[in-house]
């Protein structure tokens, strides 16, 4: 029974953190209600399969998959090309399908050639600290805006939503630090249910809209049409894959700190995770969904719930996969208020701050770590304040980096630290020769 409760909690966490992306992208491409429902279903379906693949043959850690923010950004950028560089949004969606397929191929290439394993050496404690802190800072804006009830249609604070969010946050915080272990273990699902009921009581939930009348609905292959292989998108996919690898490595590194696995050779883990990610990107292209990536927030979830076992995670992923096949259930899950998800995730990410600080303390050369952190954090956080429309006339690859403070800051941290290490080694060699 305990495993099933833990699995149900994983399922709720996965869906709550993933449903916003397909809804937002569907809105960007002005998809019809039926197309939106199908897009949500296919995305959740892929996330369930992707998590199972990673849990069984990939990194074999309890790290859920979510819609990759990088792909989300590329979708958003390409949506603006409709009627200019490309004839229609439909044509763009087939190009994006082709891009995800090529991303899968690139993942295979990096994993098989061994380049992926070499990239893991760049993720020192300092770089991991910078990555985690930037991740927290980047998402904190979404958490607070969501808890305030601020959306595209509601540009001002909604007091009722704020009160409901604060109540949900307090409940989640209280249960996650409860003295009774089983309450602490299932604190997330308890808080989600209480928060959901609270928002129903205050009348801040959306009505259930079941667009698909079928009892069971299987996801459609190439729902937007046959994939188009555009040279510009192929080049973009190559660089996006490099950035997704960076994200994947960081997520695994953080989870390894929470859930130590001594029986798995690190090189094999990262290589297998890369191969699994290749399959997952292919599935995203084949099923006209959003390419997935291991979510770093899973470490905070595991740390908060103390559910370290892999089996409940895989079982929860199976639940996600199964529930995606039932349109009625998907419609119910889609009514989970976003502020409830943000409030609960806020509590989860409190543990992430602690994980980041632990990584920083591991660094022996504190002076170098502080310098690298200062340079990269200023660059990453500064980029978060630059408006998206500032990159309208820049290449997609450049925009994907400069418009993403997390990625930009992490790259700056890696480059700065490697330069300092090279400089230090050169000085030592020069002294030895003299």
């Amino acid at each position: 029974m305990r495993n099933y409760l833990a699995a149900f909690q994983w399922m709720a966490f996965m869906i709550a953190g993933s449903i916003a992306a397909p809804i937002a992208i569907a809105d960007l491409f002005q998809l019809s209600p039926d197309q939106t429902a199908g897009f949500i279903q296919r995305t959740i379906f892929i996330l369930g399969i992707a998590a199972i693949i990673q849990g069984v043959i990939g990194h074999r850690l309890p790290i859920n998959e979510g819609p990759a923010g990088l792909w989300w950004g590329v979708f958003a950028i390409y949506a603006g090309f409709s009627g200019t560089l490309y004839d229609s949004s439909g044509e763009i969606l087939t190009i994006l399908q082709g891009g995800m397929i090529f991303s899968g191929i690139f993942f295979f290439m990096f994993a098989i050639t061994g380049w992926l394993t070499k990239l893991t050496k760049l993720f020192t404690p300092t770089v991991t600290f910078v990555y985690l802190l930037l991740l927290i800072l980047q998402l904190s804006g979404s958490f607070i805006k969501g808890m305030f009830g601020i959306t595209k249609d509601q540009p001002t604070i909604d007091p009722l939503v704020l009160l409901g969010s604060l109540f949900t946050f307090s409940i989640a915080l209280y249960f996650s630090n409860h003295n009774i272990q089983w309450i602490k273990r299932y604190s997330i699902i308890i808080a989600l249910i209480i928060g959901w009921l609270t928002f129903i009581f205050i009348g801040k939930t959306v009505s259930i809209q079941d667009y698909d009348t079928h009892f069971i609905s299987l996801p459609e292959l190439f729902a937007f049409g046959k994939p188009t292989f555009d040279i510009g998108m192929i080049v973009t996919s190559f660089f996006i894959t490099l950035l997704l690898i960076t994200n994947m490595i960081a997520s695994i590194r953080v989870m390894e700190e929470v859930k130590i696995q001594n029986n798995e050779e690190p090189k094999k883990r990262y290589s297998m995770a890369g191969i699994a990610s290749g399959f997952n990107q292919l599935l995203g292209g084949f099923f006209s969904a959003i390419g997935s990536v291991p979510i770093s927030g899973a470490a905070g979830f595991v740390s908060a719930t103390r559910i370290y076992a892999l089996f409940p995670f895989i079982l929860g992923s199976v639940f996600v996969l199964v529930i995606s096949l039932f349109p009625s259930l998907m419609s119910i899950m889609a009514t989970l208020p976003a502020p409830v998800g943000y409030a609960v995730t806020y509590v989860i990410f409190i543990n992430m701050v602690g994980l980041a600080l632990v990584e920083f303390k591991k660094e022996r050369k504190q002076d170098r770590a502080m310098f690298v952190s200062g340079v990269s954090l200023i660059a990453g956080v500064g980029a978060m304040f630059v408006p998206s429309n500032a990159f309208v006339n820049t290449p997609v690859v450049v925009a994907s980096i400069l418009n993403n403070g997390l990625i930009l800051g992490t790259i700056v941290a890696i480059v700065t630290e490697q330069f300092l290490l090279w400089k230090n080694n050169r000085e030592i060699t020069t002294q030895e020769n003299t």
Side-chain angles (χ1 to χ4, degrees), residues 166-176 187 190-192 194-195 347:
L166 289 175
F167 176 72
T168 304
F169 170 77
S170 301
I171 289 292
L173 194 62
Y174 172 73
F175 286 134
S176 65
S187 59
I190 294 171
L192 279 172
I194 293 176
V347 175

Side-chain angles (χ1 to χ4, degrees), residues 223-256:
F224 299 127
K226 291 182 179 180
T228 303
F229 300 108
D230 178 83
I231 186 63
M233 174 51 71
I234 292 173
V235 174
T236 298
S237 295
F238 177 79
F239 288 101
I240 291 296
T241 302
L242 282 173
L243 300 176
L244 289 175
I245 288 172
T246 300
N247 199 321
M248 181 193 76
I249 292 171
S251 297
I252 295 173
R253 279 276 294 109
V254 175
M255 183 57 78
E256 284 177 331

Side-chain angles (χ1 to χ4, degrees), residues 272-350:
M272 293 305 296
I275 291 172
S277 291
F279 280 114
N280 294 341
Q281 296 303 311
L282 289 177
L283 289 173
F286 290 159
F287 284 96
S288 308
I290 309 170
S292 66
V293 68
I295 300 299
S296 302
F301 176 86
V302 170
S303 180
T305 60
R306 306 292 194 274
I307 301 174
Y308 301 102
L310 184 60
F311 178 72
F313 166 73
I314 294 177
L315 186 60
S317 302
V318 172
F319 286 170
V320 171
L321 175 62
V322 171
I323 203 172
S324 70
L325 302 178
F326 293 87
S328 297
L329 293 177
M330 279 300 302
S331 297
I332 293 172
M333 291 302 297
T335 65
L336 174 66
V340 172
Y342 286 126
V344 173
T345 308
Y346 189 160
V347 175
I348 292 170
F349 269 75
I350 290 174

Side-chain angles (χ1 to χ4, degrees), residues 195-205:
W196 200 341
L197 292 173
T198 300
F199 272 71
I200 291 174
F201 177 74
I202 64 177
K204 289 294 181 179
T205 56

